[in-house]
Amino acid sequence: MTGAATYPMRRWVFEDAKGRHDINLGDSNMACGRVADLTLPADLVLDYGSDRGGAGLRSIVAAMYGRDPDEVGITHGAQEALYLLYRVLLRPGDHVVVFAPGWQQAHSVPAALGCRVDVVAATPDGRPDVARAATLVGPRTRAVILNSPCNPTGRRAADIDAAGLTAALRAHGGHLVLDEEYVVDLGADSLLGRYERAVSVSSVSKVYGFPGLRTGWMCGPADVVRAAMEHKHLTTISNSVLTERLAADVLERREPHLERYRRLTSRGGALLRAWAARHADRVRLLEPEGTPFAWLELAGQTPSLEFCRRVLAETRVLLMPAEVFGAERGLRITFAREEPVLREGLERIGALLDGERAAL
């Protein structure tokens, strides 16, 4: 499972698969919430807001980490937070370490900025190989970009190896950029507190199920956040005060949303495990560690993209092929869905697999 994406996710989701599915098991967030789930004051003034994000939302996010609001910047989704960090931290000639399989942005943007990028393959059980990454850190290493739990494998970096990675970075002064979208308890489980040059990025998209709010954040050293927010003023200027207020409502009353997340992942995970066991001759499930999705390794010689195209065409179920993550012979499947939806999707895919088996 190595390398950069060979088939852009944008092309798969917004071109090839658009309008051709009625069950979505491809997106990496839990089942989406609705406007009716939220509250909004009718007297909200729709001004420009603040380039750093409103003081109320920044305070809520800071409290989740146990940090100061000056160490928080609100962004247009986690993707903008990551992009801003790459722009302010990296210069041509810098060395960057990323992991595969993973999100295309982590590899493509540093490369476009003129950085030398080392891509580290996952361990055989799908974990980010942070022990290997630590051996690549040197005087020119400006950043290591770590997503744990990993999207798409659903596996966490081993704690003992993460300690080795931060020690290697500390020796050379590099930054640790943490994509922590799937860390539920940021105060207890974020790696932010393990290293003084770490920056954590997250949002209300994945665990909370509100990707349409396009509201994320970064939390880390105040000087890094300040520089990123100054650059933000040259891009999106500020966030929508409307979506910031709705995101604040999500986080102020996060327990009901998290309870729904736990319910969907618990029941959905059990359904997926039972389904994978029935089709063990065709798929191998990597047990997810705190994510709403799992990675399935495919048996046989059929490329992942070809398989997902067949599933899309014959069952109208959307899956995410390995090729969009720079991998092969696998796919990401999301199980944090209401039970009837997930059950129907799995039954359709299972019928296709049964038909292939009968034809052999």
Side-chain angles (χ1 to χ4, degrees), residues 134-198:
T135 69
L136 300 175
V137 173
R140 298 286 296 178
T141 304
R142 183 65 171 167
V144 174
I145 303 165
L146 174 63
N147 171 218
S148 178
C150 172
N151 180 6
T153 68
R155 307 284 281 176
R156 294 178 179 272
D159 280 348
I160 188 171
D161 294 334
L165 176 61
T166 56
L169 282 168
R170 187 173 287 112
H172 297 288
H175 291 82
L176 179 59
V177 178
L178 299 165
D179 179 349
E180 296 189 311
E181 283 269 27
Y182 301 99
V183 176
V184 175
D185 188 343
L186 290 166
D189 298 329
S190 170
L191 296 177
L192 180 64
R194 310 269 190 98
Y195 181 50
E196 59 275 10
R197 289 181 179 265

Side-chain angles (χ1 to χ4, degrees), residues 288-318:
E289 297 177 320
T291 55
F293 55 80
W295 184 257
L296 294 178
E297 294 180 343
L298 298 177
Q301 298 302 313
T302 303
S304 310
L305 183 57
E306 181 180 329
F307 175 78
C308 289
R309 281 174 170 159
R310 279 200 62 198
V311 170
L312 182 68
E314 298 181 28
T315 75
R316 295 187 59 81
V317 176
L318 178 67

Side-chain angles (χ1 to χ4, degrees), residues 8 11 50 72 76 113 122 145 168 200 236 252 269 282 290 324 326 330 348:
R11 179 179 171 187
S50 166
V72 172
H76 190 73
L113 293 173
I145 303 165
S200 174
T236 55
E252 285 171 336
R282 294 298 310 278
V324 304
R348 293 185 194 180

Side-chain angles (χ1 to χ4, degrees), residues 37-248:
D37 301 325
L38 305 174
T39 58
L40 184 68
D43 60 350
L44 179 68
V45 177
L46 297 178
D47 59 13
Y48 271 104
S50 166
D51 55 356
R52 298 197 62 168
L57 182 55
R58 286 171 53 218
S59 293
I60 294 169
V61 172
M64 291 166 62
Y65 287 94
R67 307 288 284 243
D68 190 275
D70 286 343
E71 298 175 290
V72 172
I74 307 300
T75 57
H76 190 73
Q79 171 130 320
E80 186 186 42
L82 291 166
Y83 181 81
L84 292 171
L85 288 170
Y86 303 153
R87 289 306 305 262
V88 301
L89 292 179
L90 305 179
R91 298 292 182 271
D94 286 344
H95 175 233
V96 177
V97 181
V98 303
F99 298 86
W103 181 230
Q104 178 187 357
Q105 185 200 40
H107 175 276
S108 296
V109 175
L113 293 173
C115 298
R116 179 172 67 85
V117 180
D118 275 330
V119 182
V120 178
T123 63
D125 63 351
R127 299 182 189 280
D129 193 347
V130 288
R132 168 62 179 157
T135 69
L136 300 175
V137 173
R140 298 286 296 178
T141 304
R142 183 65 171 167
V144 174
I145 303 165
L146 174 63
N147 171 218
S148 178
C150 172
N151 180 6
T153 68
R155 307 284 281 176
R156 294 178 179 272
D159 280 348
I160 188 171
D161 294 334
L165 176 61
T166 56
L169 282 168
R170 187 173 287 112
H172 297 288
H175 291 82
L176 179 59
V177 178
L178 299 165
D179 179 349
E180 296 189 311
E181 283 269 27
Y182 301 99
V183 176
V184 175
D185 188 343
L186 290 166
D189 298 329
S190 170
L191 296 177
L192 180 64
R194 310 269 190 98
Y195 181 50
E196 59 275 10
R197 289 181 179 265
V199 186
S200 174
V201 170
S202 192
S203 77
V204 296
S205 296
K206 308 298 187 180
V207 170
Y208 296 98
F210 290 94
L213 293 182
R214 308 308 307 131
T215 303
W217 58 79
M218 64 178 69
C219 182
D223 60 330
V224 173
V225 173
R226 186 182 311 111
M229 294 301 102
E230 289 174 358
H231 194 82
K232 175 182 172 62
H233 194 80
L234 303 177
T235 55
T236 55
I237 301 179
S238 59
N239 308 302
S240 161
V241 294
L242 178 63
T243 58
E244 277 200 15
R245 181 53 255 177
L246 291 171

